Amino acid sequence: MSSNARTITLAIRPRGTPIRTLPASTLVSLDDSTQDLYKRLAHATRLSPHRLRITKGSDGTVLPNNNPTTGSTTTTTTTIESTRLRDQSIIYVKDLGPQISWRTVFALEYLGPLLIHPLFYFGGLRLLRPWIYGHGGWWGADGGVKMTTQQTVSFTLVMLHFLKRELETFAVHRFSAATMPLSNLFKNSAHYWLLAGVNLAYWTYRPLTTSSSTSSSSSSSLTYLAITLFLVSETLNFLTHMRLRSLRPAGSTKRAIPHGLGFDTVTCPNYAYEMLAWVAVWIVNWRMSFWATGLFVGIATAQMAVWARKKEGAYRRQFGGVYGAKRWGMVPGVV
């Protein structure tokens, strides 16, 4: 077969907002990858390839903008020929708008609580506290802030959690997509900066009444139990993240079926362990910010349950009968 027979012309149509300098057609080789097509159109439109979404006109299938698997004998490259595009096939190109990397979004999300909780906890901001909480018998003789043991434990657990999340963002997670719409940054960050940040910090470190701050053997035992639950849950959560990392070679979007550490029972045991870690914080906070912490835990659990259902659907679609379908996403018999 001649080289010309391996070259086809694709008709290009914009979807949504018109894209200036988008060509009406392009020549591609059947041996080219879909990533090559993204690069060619990105060059023509002067937009990032991650900002474009290309779909087939025949059935609306999205053409993947993927990379070959690095350091593996298995490749995830999709060729033009494998997409069943033919000469004069129509493709639609959509501008997804400004994009931001997933890693950057994660890092900025978790940064919020790491900045906000110290602002409320440390006595360095004692000049602002009267404006936030009003004057009261909460101040030490030297002007310092009198924090209870439970407030200190809560602060420590929250900081450890988000420091771990930042570490995982830069050293553990391998993302299946390079970017997301920039607008998602503000929606995603609100969950952490407002609910886990301002909401938890304001109510957890507020001045406590004598009855609320009084320690007892029962509350101390409950606190020790919560610390143990937190450490075990965070460790298991980290191990599940490492298991997922091991299944995706660096630089690829490969997906494989995870096993062990709870993956054979539920879709996302990592979400279950994160939920349990936050339940531990809730137990510590029960005298100080029961409703505020419960609000965050409830919303976070509901969101993770939605993600778990989506991941279950993705596993079933990709692996079919090879995948052992799970009835529960996070906790057997519950969610």
Side-chain angles (χ1 to χ4, degrees):
M1 184 179 293
S2 67
S3 60
N4 288 339
R6 301 291 295 174
T7 301
I8 62 173
T9 299
L10 298 177
I12 302 174
R13 304 285 187 272
R15 186 176 296 280
T17 305
I19 304 174
R20 298 181 64 180
T21 72
L22 180 69
S25 64
T26 186
L27 284 172
V28 296
S29 168
L30 291 173
D31 299 317
D32 286 346
S33 68
T34 53
Q35 187 184 37
D36 293 329
L37 178 60
Y38 272 92
K39 289 180 178 178
R40 181 178 290 111
L41 295 182
H43 178 75
T45 59
R46 299 184 180 88
L47 297 173
S48 165
H50 300 301
R51 183 167 170 162
L52 302 177
R53 183 172 65 197
I54 305 175
T55 56
K56 293 171 57 178
S58 58
D59 59 11
T61 301
V62 178
L63 300 186
N65 181 18
N66 55 15
N67 298 304
T69 300
T70 303
S72 172
T73 57
T74 303
T75 179
T76 58
T77 299
T78 303
T79 64
I80 297 296
E81 185 172 32
S82 68
T83 66
R84 299 184 181 275
L85 288 170
R86 299 294 179 258
D87 191 47
Q88 298 305 318
S89 289
I90 296 176
I91 58 173
Y92 286 91
V93 181
K94 181 178 178 61
D95 179 5
L96 299 175
Q99 300 288 296
I100 186 172
S101 76
W102 276 81
R103 200 175 307 278
T104 300
V105 171
F106 274 37
L108 292 176
E109 286 175 353
Y110 306 141
L111 181 62
L114 290 174
L115 294 176
I116 292 169
H117 279 259
L119 291 180
F120 279 84
Y121 179 84
F122 287 112
L125 284 185
R126 58 181 176 270
L127 295 178
L128 293 181
R129 288 177 179 273
W131 295 93
I132 298 174
Y133 296 112
H135 293 274
W138 197 43
W139 315 100
D142 59 353
V145 178
K146 299 182 291 186
M147 287 290 182
T148 67
T149 299
Q150 284 180 301
Q151 286 175 318
T152 299
V153 170
S154 178
F155 172 78
T156 303
L157 297 187
V158 170
M159 295 299 286
L160 285 175
H161 173 79
F162 286 108
L163 285 171
K164 168 183 166 291
R165 297 295 283 159
E166 290 284 20
L167 172 65
E168 291 175 330
T169 295
F170 291 103
V172 176
H173 291 320
R174 289 173 176 169
F175 299 96
S176 59
T179 65
M180 70 169 69
L182 178 61
S183 58
N184 285 4
L185 170 64
F186 307 102
K187 177 184 67 176
N188 293 5
S189 294
H191 175 73
Y192 291 100
W193 284 67
L194 298 180
L195 283 179
V198 175
N199 169 60
L200 283 189
Y202 176 85
W203 294 107
T204 300
Y205 312 127
R206 62 190 172 91
L208 299 176
T209 63
T210 302
S211 59
S212 297
S213 60
T214 300
S215 178
S216 67
S217 59
S218 60
S219 63
S220 297
S221 298
L222 201 59
T223 299
Y224 288 129
L225 176 63
I227 293 172
T228 302
L229 176 62
F230 177 87
L231 294 175
V232 171
S233 299
E234 291 286 3
T235 299
L236 289 171
N237 177 262
F238 176 77
L239 291 175
T240 55
H241 288 163
M242 292 298 295
R243 179 65 52 85
L244 292 171
R245 171 188 168 86
S246 70
L247 298 177
R248 176 170 290 160
S252 86
T253 57
K254 176 184 177 183
R255 185 194 297 270
I257 302 173
H259 295 284
L261 295 170
F263 282 108
D264 297 310
T265 305
V266 296
T267 311
C268 299
N270 49 317
Y271 292 161
Y273 300 139
E274 177 154 352
M275 178 192 69
L276 288 174
W278 278 109
V279 167
V281 176
W282 195 7
I283 293 172
V284 173
N285 288 356
W286 75 282
R287 286 179 178 271
M288 304 171 297
S289 55
F290 179 85
W291 295 110
T293 307
L295 175 65
F296 173 74
V297 174
I299 292 177
T301 300
Q303 180 62 73
M304 288 188 288
V306 172
W307 292 337
R309 284 195 293 271
K310 289 182 178 180
K311 291 191 176 184
E312 175 68 17
Y315 280 131
R316 293 185 184 186
R317 287 191 300 272
Q318 181 171 352
F319 298 106
V322 177
Y323 173 71
K326 312 296 190 307
R327 181 179 180 184
W328 305 104
M330 292 170 52
V331 182
V334 180
V335 63

